[in-house]
Amino acid sequence: MPTFLESENSFNALQQAAYQLSSCTDQIFLQIRQEQALASIVDRIRSSMELVTLFETTTTEVRELLKADRVGVFQFKPGSGWNEGEFVAENVAAGFPSTLAEKVSDHCFGPNFAAAYTQGRVQAISDIYSANLSDCHIQILEQFEVRANLIVPVLQGDSLWGFLCVHQCSQTRRWQLGEIEFVKKIAGHFAIALQQSEYVEQLQDKVTRLDRAKAQEAALFKITNRIRRSLDWEAICDMATEEVRQLLGADRVAVYRFNPDWSGDFVIESVADDWKPLVGVTATITDTYLAETQGGRYTHNENYAVEDIYTVGHDDCHVALLEEFQARAYSITPIFQGERLWGLLAAFQNSGPRQWRDDERTLLAQIGEQLGIALQQAEYVEQLQDKVARLDRAKAQQTALFKITSRIRRSLGWETICETATEDVRQLLGADRVAVYRFNSDWSGEFVTESVADEWKPLAGVTGTIADTHLMDNQGGRYANNENFAVSDIYTVGHDDCHVALLEEFQARAYAIAPIFQGERLWGLLAAFQNSGPRDWQDDEITLLTQIGEQLGIALQQSDAVWKIQSQSVELQQMLEDLKKSQAQQIQNEKMASLGQLVAGVAHEINNPVNFIHGNIRHIGQYVKDLLTLIDFYQKQTADSENVEIYRDKEDDLDFEFLLEDFPKMLGSMKIGTERIREIVLSLRNFSRLDESEFKAVDIHEGINSTLLILGNRIKDGGAHSGVEIIKDYGELPPVECYPAKLNQVFMNLLSNALDAIEEAIKAKTSAHEASTGSQKHKIWISTQLADQGQVEVRIRDSGIGVPEDIAPQVFDHFFTTKPVGEGTGLGLAISRKIIMENHLGTLSVNATPGQGAEFIIRLPLKLQNALAE
């Protein structure tokens, strides 16, 4: 039987064997998982999964298998000599920084370590602080909180592409041989994936080149087809530059045209949104090389490409010019028009250097050739179009001449004929200005009618009298002999300096002039000006100008006769208008005089009996008071009499207590009534003003209130048994110098019209509810205030039917009325304005809105005598 010690040793051995067995089992399971991960990676590579997705998925699986804090894929930057790079994929545990956003730069790595890693070196560090690493290397690792790391190279063929990195950040770690071998296998499969990706990329590049060639052929066919369909030159260039820019992926493709001195301009371009345009913006470009060599290499039909303007050896001035175009690289091919170098087709890369491929340069050359063919075709089409245009112009000129002649025969006014003629001729000639110039008696002159393009200053009615010394000294010069004259350029024809200066004032660079005769007398000139530059005037253009000048002369003679007839007609019409106004004023004056006399007479007749009644009411009141006192005394004396019962019965029959209470009230009401009648009489007298001088300083508020009192019955009724509310807003006004009676007449007209407008508004209501209930109370607003410049302002506004905007300007015309026939004379407002303007030197205006009432505004000087003196 074994002893206790022997039993314990056996148990320990058994326990150790169990532990070793467990450890072996864990290793077996780990190897199984590793093999499964490797198989998964191989499957992904075979299924052509994208590299980035492969890297991301693999880093996740490796970190889980190795239980590391971070697993990342690091790639060296091409061309950096293995000194710079970045992590392109990673999987990192929570709480530790990501490496994806950081660039890694270590200038010691390339020359010292790259070769070893290319040969398959693996770095396994359990603790970065005990591995004899350089300070700069430790700083990089500390940046990512790395404490232990496993670095395995990833090769692309024979070149070091990058690393597969396993980081332990939370603590140190001793890397097992199985872990290292597993990571090396992963890196080996990455190398296979890289080679496969490179092969796929090459295939894709071949497909891309084939697609690009096909697209270039399609573009070339498209442009050629466009040319065969005889499209215009600009449309072809627009399409070609856009197509080529899209195909080449360039920042700008432009057509450059040479001038006769071998300077040039960009005429058409297609440019990406983030670059400034050159066409129509840059001034004429002078390239000294092209100017001195008259086109240089392009004259020999050579094309030229530059990858980087800063490395090709260009002169500083040439580089500066290209910098103005924002160009960093360019490819240029010539455009020939027949045997002549017409211009260039240029492709620019602005964003950086670019290596131009042969197929791209070939495409540019082919497009340049097609544009040359299009130029020749456009030139031929232009010649045909020019012939057609000349025929059309001749037809249009004959039409214009017939048009003007027809107007003259229809006896249209001289000014209308001139305006039409100058506009038609300017449009036909495509000139900047066509003007009619009239001579004065001293042979100076002025522009009287013109048609001028928008960008040029007008001359007619602006320049004033023009003293042309040559025409004045020669009394019309060659034009008096019925000659015309044309100048293609004022600076080359030999004009005197003073003559050139005068033409410069007219902004003219070229001109053609024909005389205008009125009978046998030279009346003026018909002139066509070209301001924008020199111009060669065609014979048919000068002939047209001469024919139009002759027709204007005929129109002058006819207009003179028509003017005489119209003058007589105007005189007769004026006499008729004056007669109408005189009759209207006389009628209104007689009406107002009669009304004033009637009002004054009525006021006088009412005043005497009312004064009698009003004066006696005070005495009657005293008498009644005495009688009541006596009766009271009598009541007290007979209170104990034997007849007191009889007296009480009589007192009850007469309701004596009510009589005692009501009789004083009745006398008070009578007194109030007589006072009201006296106020009305006073208002009537104030309105008529027959007892006052015609001109004096008065309180105009009294006149307004008197007018309102006279119109009181209409105001209370309001046309709908609801009344009209009068809202007064009187300002503090001093006495106003005026003609009171006439001013009251104006107030009467305006307030009567306001009441008429309110009645019309009430009639226009269509709602039975509104009409029956009178829910809307109409109003008249009257306000007065002091205005600036020593004036007083009176505003009268109503809530009536209003006045339409199109007839508002006519409301002050004589005999104009909006009222039905028989209800208005059309004289009230016309006479009111005349009283305000002529008698008071003021103004009467109207603000009218349909459906929202009308407002009349009177402005009068406070001191009329001072205003009359001025």
Side-chain angles (χ1 to χ4, degrees), residues 5-6 14 17 49 132 208 262 316 362 451 707 736-737 752 768 787 824:
L5 181 60
E6 289 174 347
L14 184 61
M49 180 174 285
N132 296 323
T208 300
W262 294 99
D316 292 342
T362 299
S451 171
T707 306
V736 180
E737 293 180 354
S752 296

Side-chain angles (χ1 to χ4, degrees), residues 484 659 782:
N484 51 45
L659 291 177
I782 306 173

